[in-house]
Amino acid sequence: MENCIICLEHDFRASNPRRMQRSLRDDKQFVVSRGMSAIDVSHLSYGGCTSARHMVGFGTAVCSSSKLPQAGSNVRRSLAHFLSVAVDGHFPAHPPPITDTIDPKSLKVRNVGSDIVRRDGLLPCHRPDTLILCPSVFGPASTDKYIVRQLTVKEALRVYSIPSTYDDVILSATLQVERALPFESALWGVSLEGGLERPVAGDVVSVLDDTPSTDGALEEERLFVASVGKEEEVPASTVEQEDVLDLEDERETFTKQEVETIQVEAQRFITKEKNNIKAAKADDAEVPVHVWNNILLKGVQLRSGTSPEDVDRAANVLREWWLKRFWRKLYEACLTRLRKLSTDEIHWTVKPRVENGQATDLSVEIHALNAVLWHSTQGNWFEYKSGSALHYFRFPVFYQGIAKDGVPVFFEKEGPRTKRKQPKISDWNMRRTVASKVGKVINRGYVLSSGIRLLSLIKYFAVPKTDTDYRIVYDATANKLNDAVWAPSFWLPTIDTLVRYIDADTWMMDRDIGDMFLNFPLDKKVWPYTGLHLEDLFDETVEEDAAVLEKAGGHWVHWVRCLMGFKPSPYNAIKTALVVEEVVKGDRYCERNPYQWDHVRLNLPGSADYDPRLSWISKMRKDGLIACDLFTFVDDERPSGATEELCWQAGHRLGYIQTYLGVQDSARKLRPCSQTCGAWAGAVVHIIPKLGVCVLTSDEKWKRMKDILSKWLERLQRGDSELDHKELLSDRGFLVYLTRNYPAMVPYLKGFHLTIEMWRGDRDEDGWPLKSPLSRSDEVVDDGEICDPDDTLMDYKMEEARCGEPDSLYDASDDAANDESPMVDFPRAPSSGFTQPVPRFIEDIKALMCLSESDSPPLRVIRCKTVFAAVYGFGDASGKGFCGTLGYHGSINYRIGVWGRDADSESSNYKELRNLVDTAEEEAISGRLFNAEFYLFTDNSTAESSFHRGSSKSKLLHGLVVKLRKLEMDYNLVIYLIHVAGTRMIAQGTDGGSRGSLLEGVMTGKSMLEFVELSKTAVERYNPLLDWIRNWSELPCLSPLTPEEWFVEGHGINGGEKNTDGIWIPTHERPNQTHLWIPPPAVADAALEQLLTARHKRTDTYHIIAIPRLMAPRWRRLFAKVCDFTCLIPAGSECWPSHMFEPLMLGIVLPFTHHRPWQLKRAPYVLELEGQMREVLRGGKSDGGYILRKLLKLNSRLCAVSKDVARGMLHMPREECRDGVPKDGDGG
């Protein structure tokens, strides 16, 4: 009997208390005589409200304790907690007295007459058809709405603790609540793991063949009575505590003084690094040559008498020799390029340069190669004295066209025709300063006269940089050029991208691209609209000015490189820079390549072997180290490596490959390998011994943020109804920049976003944009996301450069790209210059001030080097009670309670979020969540939305969200609030716990991880989904990309080979290929970031994405940004069955078209197809495959017809033909 459980059940229908006690005593003796532990179990103690009692015996191998955790007396439930007021009944002719005083500590069957019981008591377990006196909305007013009725079938299932997972089977049998139903034995028949196959009524002994699993045994119980405005802890009934997980035994703790010392040291380093960066950006800054010389001497024993100066001279001689060798190799490569233009009949040297008055391809090629050689030979080993030109012939073949001629620009309408002369600068000193700076871009060949007819002129003006220096702003908005073109939205890496791929041993270094945008050629279609007039700026009688005009070719010149201030420049320049990165990273299988990697390691929450000290996704080398990687934010490059040596090798390869391809490497801005680098992409990442990967900001920026918040709060409290729009934009940009360090603050920037856009008028009273009939579904796109953080941070980067901030994100340097042409292309502003505050603005500012109340910026630990706990929790609240279940290393803790009367008037949304906040707060105070990841699951979408948006129209919900965010800041806690389907919550058991049942899901010993499916892909969970996708895509061999393929094949790279110089150059697949992305929800953001990068480079491929809707706030914005078509496939569909619980988010990325609208997500027809797909899925009559098939064939159909016919197919308005519109590009 040691491996058995027996259950003795009794029929006490006619028993008196004395007989009941005697029977229980006899049963106990029977159990003990068989060597088992006897436990007297009442249904009331386990969340039920019947009078049932059982004597349960546990074999010694099953349970060694004679006690089990039971519900505290304060939270035991009466019938009132299970009855609905929306059920009708009757009232007897002689109504019994109505009393309703529920005392959970003394619950029993409370009779009203002979056949009726009160709702504030228990139900006789042997009489499920008992009449109950209870309130109803259908009751007469004369009796205070009270009626008499029986339990409904569904109520009976809950009262007798039948798990709700059985509802469909039981209710489909159309059962009635009668005495014949075996309710009495149902309690233990469904609760003991491995239990009875069917419940048996009567006095029986039930022997269980299989031993219940003890892995999920309840180790601790904490019970609370919760009411609005007041919370009281109730003494818990607990089991023995010897086996309860003690995280403190493994965690290395720090005193407050130690933490403050670490923060002070970090702030001191940030200040020092800031001064170093400022010095590196100075016009006369020198290249830190000693950094390279020290690397050369590393591990070398110098002969006696050899001084460091001798080494420096020797190194300079070697550099001069290697530079000449580099020039010679480049010259030979240019000749090889020209020889390819020869034919068997005629050599390239005798081919004509001009035909019919137009330059031939040979002439264009010679001119381009001359520019390459001239730029290269004007520099030295470290500096580009006269700028640079791309060595386009060394690029991958697929991208040589854009490297030579620039990325095509998408024109929306006719280009501008404004040719007003440049206003004369009256101040002589300013004019000379402006002339010297404009002269730099002319001398570097970025601006010239090519003999074309100029159609429009771009204005330029000076902005004070210091008392004696100015910056030049080139304004492509003033001449309406920016209004005539369209630039695709694109993704920029964030600090989250960086910390995702590094660990507590990573080294980093900082490098920079010089003349960032001006490295890359401008599309020739744009040249006529980018003219500059120099007549009033340069004086031909001055020798220096005459030399500049001679170099320019006259007074009328135009841009030939991507200029800052031109809307498509960021997209086009970064696109070409991403191609350069492909060559930099090289062959991942080459062991001599510092960027080599062998496989991708996934370490995901929800998996049994998840280690929170490690990154979720990592590219791993064969030797077990994390692979070197490269992260680039516009021109700020950050190579990383597992060791200092690998990090230096990665940075070295980056520098020499960029030079090989003709991209400038700004050597004077190099910051050597370190684990405490400066700012990158708006945040500072430090690897701190003992702590691990940390993010912080400077004291100066922290104080500036607090000053900004105080300023706006003062104005709002003063009642200002008109706020300066430009000032709001500037402050919003800085806050977006700073809050990259502290994600808990990000949702509260929404007040800034909404207020900045409130002037437009197409908003409701709270500032939210009014919906268009063709707008995308809220199920896929978060309608609260009205400000793209990528665009906002780019704007701030440009604005900081314009304003000359010494520690700005953008490098204000002597380089022409940075020094000559920075400007910010702000959105259209109100003519008055003012906007109106939205109602939530003041509450958001107060929330930000609450989160930033500390005097110094907190140190946020991203990935701890010691123990870093991962805690999983589910929280649910019903109308009468609440429950939270928490998983710690295989053990389960639970927290249940009932709401007080003062909570009756509160909404279900409030109760759901209040339960989650209370659960998190209690766990944090207990110390179990310090430096932890807390995965908190809820079936309430409002709770998730409020948490991630940061606020709610309800002040109560807003206060709870702020409280939750404050926990993150105070306890260095990372909270992942995840919405799941109600059906998952039921299966997991927390839904039953909120109704008082402790006998469902994880309460019965099931593993918590069984319900945490964050690490599984959609195909892993349901394989037939792949067949469904193959069917409508008509690609029977289509397979999902593996994590390794996300970084290679997903970018269109299908191999590579070394060129004649021994450099590995990737090869690329043909256009119109299709890739299937099915990542696990936990790393869907990482996969989508790779997809967005691939999409930036390749706009001629198809991509299909399918992700279960879990952790959606982490990746939904990326999903909506990259997809042209989105839909939500509900659970229960033919291709996604109901046991998947949450719906599936499906997205499709289509190739660009060769004409407007360029990107098909902008076409009304595609939005109409989305609407049709929603209707089809909502009706459930079809899986919508025919719509998806039609969508995939759309691009090929458009290519087969004329532009006008294509516009009609896309339901776009017809437009008149305009000769002034440049010929449509090829889609980039």
Side-chain angles (χ1 to χ4, degrees), residues 105 239 332 347 452 456 724 762 1104:
K105 295 184 179 180
V239 298
E332 292 173 356
H347 195 266
I452 65 172
S456 182
D724 188 279
D762 55 345
I1104 301 171

Side-chain angles (χ1 to χ4, degrees), residues 773-1057:
L774 292 177
S775 61
R776 281 188 157 78
S777 170
D778 291 343
E779 298 170 324
V780 176
V781 182
D782 182 1
D783 62 348
E785 191 63 67
I786 65 171
C787 171
D788 192 330
D790 297 335
D791 297 338
T792 302
L793 197 54
M794 173 64 80
D795 286 344
Y796 177 67
K797 184 178 178 71
M798 303 299 112
E799 176 67 3
E800 286 286 85
R802 185 183 71 81
C803 297
E805 292 288 338
D807 60 341
S808 66
L809 273 173
Y810 197 79
D811 290 332
S813 70
D814 183 45
D815 292 338
N818 304 336
D819 190 41
E820 309 304 338
S821 47
M823 72 158 293
V824 56
D825 183 20
F826 285 124
R828 292 181 178 273
S831 57
S832 65
F834 294 94
T835 187
Q836 301 76 42
V838 296
R840 67 171 283 174
F841 192 21
I842 188 170
E843 296 300 327
D844 281 352
I845 290 178
K846 289 179 179 179
L848 287 169
M849 295 185 72
C850 175
L851 296 176
S852 61
E853 63 183 6
S854 61
D855 295 332
S856 59
L859 194 68
R860 185 167 68 95
V861 179
I862 300 294
R863 194 166 297 113
C864 204
K865 196 168 185 177
T866 56
V867 170
F868 189 87
V871 181
Y872 304 98
F874 283 72
D876 192 39
S878 62
K880 300 296 183 179
F882 57 85
C883 177
T885 56
L886 303 159
Y888 294 98
H889 293 271
S891 64
I892 301 295
N893 290 356
Y894 63 93
R895 171 184 182 275
I896 64 172
V898 294
W899 299 106
R901 289 182 178 275
D902 47 354
D904 290 343
S905 60
E906 298 299 335
S907 68
S908 60
N909 292 331
Y910 171 82
K911 293 178 179 179
E912 292 276 5
L913 188 54
R914 170 67 184 274
N915 178 41
L916 298 173
V917 173
D918 289 347
T919 300
E921 187 174 37
E922 291 300 325
E923 293 302 302
I925 293 174
S926 71
R928 278 182 282 265
L929 296 185
F930 179 75
N931 272 358
E933 293 176 345
F934 190 20
Y935 299 87
L936 193 52
F937 298 85
T938 176
D939 61 355
N940 185 269
S941 60
T942 301
E944 183 193 53
S945 174
S946 298
F947 178 75
H948 290 282
R949 292 187 181 183
S951 186
S952 168
K953 293 182 180 180
S954 166
K955 290 186 177 180
L956 287 174
L957 294 184
H958 177 85
L960 290 174
V961 172
V962 174
K963 194 174 183 180
L964 207 54
R965 291 296 187 180
K966 191 71 166 57
L967 286 176
E968 287 189 292
M969 300 287 286
D970 291 345
Y971 291 90
N972 198 30
L973 168 66
V974 182
I975 296 177
Y976 299 97
L977 189 59
I978 303 169
H979 176 250
V980 297
T983 49
R984 182 183 295 274
M985 190 69 69
I986 291 172
Q988 191 268 347
T990 301
D991 176 81
S994 69
R995 293 178 279 98
S997 174
L998 306 183
L999 307 168
E1000 301 180 28
V1002 294
M1003 300 291 196
T1004 63
K1006 293 183 179 179
S1007 171
M1008 179 72 80
L1009 296 183
E1010 182 180 335
F1011 305 96
V1012 181
E1013 296 184 298
L1014 305 179
S1015 61
K1016 297 180 180 179
T1017 68
V1019 170
E1020 287 175 341
R1021 293 175 56 188
Y1022 189 66
N1023 191 260
L1025 173 68
L1026 181 58
D1027 296 328
W1028 176 70
I1029 295 176
R1030 287 171 172 171
N1031 180 43
W1032 56 259
S1033 66
E1034 298 181 346
L1035 297 170
C1037 297
L1038 183 66
S1039 297
L1041 295 174
T1042 65
E1044 288 77 15
E1045 291 172 337
W1046 297 348
F1047 299 90
V1048 184
E1049 284 79 359
H1051 292 249
I1053 301 173
N1054 60 5
E1057 58 184 5

Side-chain angles (χ1 to χ4, degrees), residues 573-759:
I574 294 173
K575 175 173 182 171
T576 313
L578 289 173
V579 176
V580 174
E581 278 193 22
E582 290 187 358
V583 184
V584 169
K585 294 182 178 179
D587 182 5
R588 75 181 183 96
Y589 297 108
C590 177
E591 295 184 358
R592 298 181 60 187
N593 177 13
Y595 291 99
Q596 64 170 290
W597 58 280
D598 178 68
H599 66 279
V600 171
R601 180 189 67 193
L602 293 182
N603 172 52
L604 303 182
S607 58
D609 56 352
Y610 174 57
D611 185 349
R613 295 170 297 179
L614 304 177
S615 54
W616 290 7
I617 179 171
S618 306
K619 290 188 288 187
M620 305 299 296
R621 295 160 51 101
K622 288 184 178 180
D623 56 13
L625 297 176
I626 290 182
C628 295
D629 216 331
L630 173 62
F631 309 93
T632 305
F633 182 81
V634 189
D635 60 340
D636 300 328
E637 300 170 313
R638 176 158 290 186
S640 67
T643 65
E644 183 178 8
E645 176 62 25
L646 284 173
C647 182
W648 175 262
Q649 291 179 16
H652 172 66
R653 178 175 173 86
L654 169 63
Y656 86 73
I657 292 296
Q658 284 182 335
T659 302
Y660 179 79
L661 295 177
V663 177
Q664 296 182 40
D665 172 48
S666 186
R668 63 189 174 85
K669 298 177 187 175
L670 177 136
R671 286 181 279 182
C673 300
S674 171
Q675 291 188 310
T676 52
C677 290
W680 181 87
V684 178
V685 177
H686 282 186
I687 309 295
I688 298 178
K690 296 184 180 180
L691 284 182
V693 182
C694 303
V695 172
L696 69 160
T697 190
S698 66
D699 283 326
E700 179 184 355
K701 286 185 169 60
W702 189 255
K703 182 179 183 303
R704 180 179 172 185
M705 179 187 68
K706 298 177 76 169
D707 290 342
I708 289 174
L709 297 176
S710 299
K711 173 185 68 178
W712 290 111
L713 181 62
E714 179 182 353
R715 295 181 185 180
L716 292 173
Q717 290 179 335
R718 194 170 60 211
D720 291 1
S721 58
E722 297 288 325
L723 304 180
D724 188 279
H725 187 263
K726 188 174 181 180
E727 188 177 2
L728 278 168
L729 279 171
S730 178
D731 289 345
R732 192 262 303 268
F734 174 77
L735 293 175
V736 169
Y737 161 78
L738 184 135
T739 53
R740 290 293 177 103
N741 299 276
Y742 306 104
M745 294 182 173
V746 171
Y748 300 101
L749 298 181
K750 192 68 69 181
F752 277 91
H753 302 328
L754 295 174
T755 298
I756 285 171
E757 302 299 327
M758 190 62 179
W759 65 274

Side-chain angles (χ1 to χ4, degrees), residues 282-558:
D283 292 348
D284 57 350
E286 295 183 356
V287 175
V289 180
H290 65 277
V291 174
W292 283 271
N293 290 347
N294 291 339
I295 294 295
L296 290 175
L297 291 176
K298 193 173 183 180
V300 176
Q301 184 68 35
L302 296 178
R303 293 184 300 179
S304 60
T306 303
S307 66
E309 291 75 13
D310 295 333
V311 175
D312 293 345
R313 284 192 294 270
N316 289 335
V317 170
L318 283 173
R319 291 185 182 113
E320 290 179 6
W321 184 83
W322 278 104
L323 182 61
K324 292 178 180 179
R325 180 180 173 85
F326 172 78
W327 290 339
R328 184 167 64 252
K329 295 285 289 184
L330 182 61
Y331 177 73
E332 292 173 356
C334 291
L335 286 179
T336 301
R337 176 76 176 183
L338 289 173
R339 292 189 187 105
K340 291 181 179 179
L341 300 177
S342 300
T343 62
D344 295 337
E345 295 80 15
I346 184 170
H347 195 266
W348 70 270
T349 56
V350 296
K351 277 189 172 184
R353 308 293 174 87
V354 179
E355 289 181 351
N356 300 323
Q358 299 291 329
T360 62
D361 291 342
L362 174 63
S363 178
V364 173
E365 192 79 24
I366 291 175
H367 178 77
L369 294 175
N370 280 335
V372 168
L373 291 172
W374 180 82
H375 281 289
S376 178
T377 54
Q378 297 302 305
N380 58 34
W381 184 264
F382 289 108
E383 296 180 285
Y384 298 80
K385 299 294 187 180
S386 299
S388 64
L390 295 182
H391 305 166
Y392 58 91
F393 46 86
R394 288 174 167 172
F395 273 65
V397 174
F398 189 85
Y399 293 108
Q400 286 184 5
I402 65 172
K404 178 183 177 183
D405 301 321
V407 178
V409 171
F410 304 101
F411 274 85
E412 294 276 84
K413 59 183 180 181
E414 182 179 357
R417 297 297 182 105
T418 57
K419 293 181 65 175
R420 294 181 181 177
K421 292 179 63 176
Q422 176 72 26
K424 189 172 183 179
I425 302 174
S426 57
D427 183 270
W428 187 86
N429 290 328
M430 179 185 291
R431 186 167 74 244
R432 296 315 304 164
T433 302
V434 172
S436 67
K437 292 182 177 292
V438 174
K440 287 181 181 179
V441 295
I442 293 175
N443 288 328
R444 294 182 178 188
Y446 300 155
V447 173
L448 50 80
S449 176
S450 64
I452 65 172
R453 180 191 174 195
L454 297 182
L455 301 177
S456 182
L457 297 180
I458 287 181
K459 297 293 189 296
Y460 54 90
F461 54 90
V463 175
K465 176 181 175 183
T466 65
D467 293 338
T468 59
D469 197 6
Y470 298 88
R471 292 187 180 281
I472 309 304
V473 174
Y474 299 93
D475 193 354
T477 300
N479 74 335
K480 307 298 183 183
L481 176 58
N482 281 339
D483 293 340
V485 298
W486 172 73
S489 175
F490 63 97
W491 171 80
L492 285 172
T494 67
I495 197 63
D496 294 328
T497 309
L498 173 62
V499 299
R500 181 183 295 123
Y501 294 100
I502 65 177
D503 64 9
D505 297 314
T506 298
W507 288 72
M508 299 167 286
M509 71 182 303
D510 287 324
R511 302 184 75 105
D512 193 273
I513 300 176
D515 285 11
M516 171 58 191
F517 289 0
L518 300 182
N519 277 276
F520 308 105
L522 181 66
D523 186 3
K524 291 183 179 180
K525 297 195 303 292
V526 186
W527 288 8
Y529 307 102
T530 60
L532 297 177
H533 182 233
L534 308 177
E535 183 176 1
D536 294 330
L537 189 61
F538 295 97
D539 186 352
E540 293 184 4
T541 62
V542 178
E543 182 178 356
E544 183 180 350
D545 287 5
V548 173
L549 291 174
E550 182 180 0
K551 173 70 177 176
H555 291 102
W556 301 88
V557 296
H558 61 83

